[in-house]
Amino acid sequence: MLSEVEGQVLAAIDDDRIVDELRELVRIPSVDGTAAEADVQAWCARRLTDLGLTVDHWRIDLPAVTADPEFPGMEVTRDQAWGCVGVLGGDGTPGLILNGHVDVVPPGDLSLWPDGDPFSARVEDGVMWGRGTCDMKGGVAAILGAVAAIAAAGVRLRKPLAVHTVIGEEDGGAGAFATLRRGHTGEACLIAEPTAGCVIPANSGSLTFRLEVPGLATHGSTRTRGVSAIEKFVVIQSALQALEAERNRDPHPLLAHLDLANPLSVGTIHAGDWASTVPDVLIAEGRYGVRLGEPVAAARAALESAVAEACAKDDWLRDHPVKVTWPGGAFASGVLPADDPLLTDTLEAAGDPTPEVRGAPYGSDLRQYAAAGIPTLQYGPGDVRYAHATDEHVRLDEVLHAARTYALLAVRRCG
């Protein structure tokens, strides 16, 4: 049963404005590492200011942030980065943070997009198409719609409501890291990532690994005088497959619905520089899942140990071991504490049918807020299957439902 205030807030939600703002956000091509990351943060700062929030819009000190021993890493080069936090009402620590990242991954081959423009924000049959619609500007637009409704209804919040828009989530989480380091905190956090109708209180982590497999070059016609780095990678690949099987034998209950809870995937391989030369080095890079509750250091040690054991059993690799390094972002796992009321509050705000509760096998900023002692979960419009894809899209009814859920949750958590 809705209270009078809750009914007033829901009645103030402006569906058309939410769709229009999502369209504006998508048309800002805020690919990681581009100037448009700054443009989209400036857009968010203006919008939050217009809504009457107290806004902190600052240029992130990249040298200082990246020098922090706990910095989660970046996979693109940035010459600037901006943070944006808006706070509405109340005094003291915010009762709730609504978080959304505004960076997007590159669109890839433009010819593969249905209309040739990944940032067109085309709407057809209640669906908006384009890069960032699902991951995760649909969620950001829903957050803004919820906050706008609370402001329009004239609700006086007992505790502050905070909005965090962040960059760099896709390549490590620089924006959330800088936001938390700046002192922006809260009693709880909801991240509006696409969850396909589920509530996600736990994320596995992920790491990027790099393998340098040595060989011995010689002419292809006398290949037995040399050692092919490609053939030696086969030895290592077999060990990686065995490691993946071992790490998936007993998945966490929140990940038991997945066919592979902790995937290990080789994404790129580069070897050789001449067709008739036996390659003397192979470079492979891949993505490695971190199990729920597993320290990043322990996950790295498991892969390094598996590679070392495989090398020790091979006549060539025993004396010429594979070099393992860890470039790029480091996504630890993150879990909402058991019995934290944020889960029940979110399920009740979402209404009927009650969403399923599941874990997710990918990294996100959830782990950074959780590590800072802020209970955090994910619930948002869209399906992650379409994130990063050339058919990326979000159903507008899901965006509007998310806005109503966030508005109710905010009123109830902030009083």
Side-chain angles (χ1 to χ4, degrees), residues 148-324:
I150 293 171
V155 175
R156 296 174 61 88
L157 298 176
R158 181 171 55 85
K159 296 180 180 180
L161 169 65
V163 175
H164 294 187
T165 63
V166 299
I167 56 89
E169 190 274 346
E170 296 289 3
D171 70 310
F177 182 83
T179 298
L180 292 166
R181 280 295 191 271
R182 193 167 171 86
H184 291 294
T185 186
E187 295 179 1
C189 177
L190 181 146
I191 299 178
E193 289 274 11
T195 60
C198 299
V199 171
I200 295 179
N203 281 120
S204 299
S206 66
L207 303 170
T208 299
F209 63 86
R210 186 177 190 268
L211 307 176
E212 187 173 332
V213 183
L216 180 63
T218 188
H219 196 283
S221 66
T222 60
R223 71 175 185 82
T224 57
R225 292 186 63 248
V227 177
S228 170
I230 294 174
E231 293 177 6
K232 291 306 171 185
F233 174 71
V234 173
V235 174
I236 301 303
Q237 174 70 349
S238 178
L240 295 180
Q241 290 172 334
L243 175 64
E244 180 187 61
E246 173 63 29
R247 290 172 62 80
N248 283 280
R249 280 208 175 90
D250 185 23
H252 190 283
L254 284 171
L255 301 174
H257 64 284
L258 299 167
D259 62 336
L260 204 58
N262 306 290
L264 192 164
S265 171
V266 175
T268 65
I269 296 176
H270 302 281
D273 53 15
W274 197 255
S276 61
T277 299
V278 172
D280 61 357
V281 66
L282 178 146
I283 305 296
E285 292 186 339
R287 185 263 190 204
Y288 174 54
V290 179
R291 294 185 292 190
L292 283 180
E294 178 183 37
V296 166
R300 286 175 172 156
L303 186 141
E304 291 169 356
S305 177
V307 171
E309 289 178 12
C311 291
K313 296 175 182 178
D314 183 88
D315 290 341
W316 170 257
L317 294 176
R318 186 181 303 117
D319 297 323
H320 308 84
V322 173
K323 181 179 179 181
V324 182

Side-chain angles (χ1 to χ4, degrees), residues 306-392:
V307 171
E309 289 178 12
C311 291
K313 296 175 182 178
D314 183 88
D315 290 341
W316 170 257
L317 294 176
R318 186 181 303 117
D319 297 323
H320 308 84
V322 173
K323 181 179 179 181
V324 182
T325 53
W326 302 92
F331 290 80
S333 67
V335 183
L336 181 74
D339 301 322
D340 190 281
L342 179 62
L343 178 59
T344 300
D345 291 348
T346 304
L347 294 174
E348 291 178 352
D352 293 326
T354 301
E356 289 187 64
V357 178
R358 292 182 171 183
Y362 49 81
S364 81
D365 281 335
L366 182 153
R367 95 280 190 190
Q368 298 204 70
Y369 285 84
I374 303 171
T376 303
L377 53 69
Q378 295 177 177
Y379 178 72
D383 188 326
V384 74
R385 292 181 301 168
Y386 302 110
H388 302 195
T390 54
D391 61 348
E392 184 172 356

Side-chain angles (χ1 to χ4, degrees), residues 29 36 40 61-62 83 96 101 109 129-130 132 136-137 143 145 158 168 173 190 193 214 226 257 261 292 300 314 361:
V40 75
D61 185 344
L62 283 173
L96 179 67
H101 73 82
D109 186 348
W129 300 82
M136 59 164 287
K137 291 177 178 178
I143 289 172
R158 181 171 55 85
L190 181 146
E193 289 274 11
H257 64 284
L292 283 180
R300 286 175 172 156
D314 183 88

Side-chain angles (χ1 to χ4, degrees), residues 68 74 169 373:
D68 190 306
M74 288 195 304
E169 190 274 346

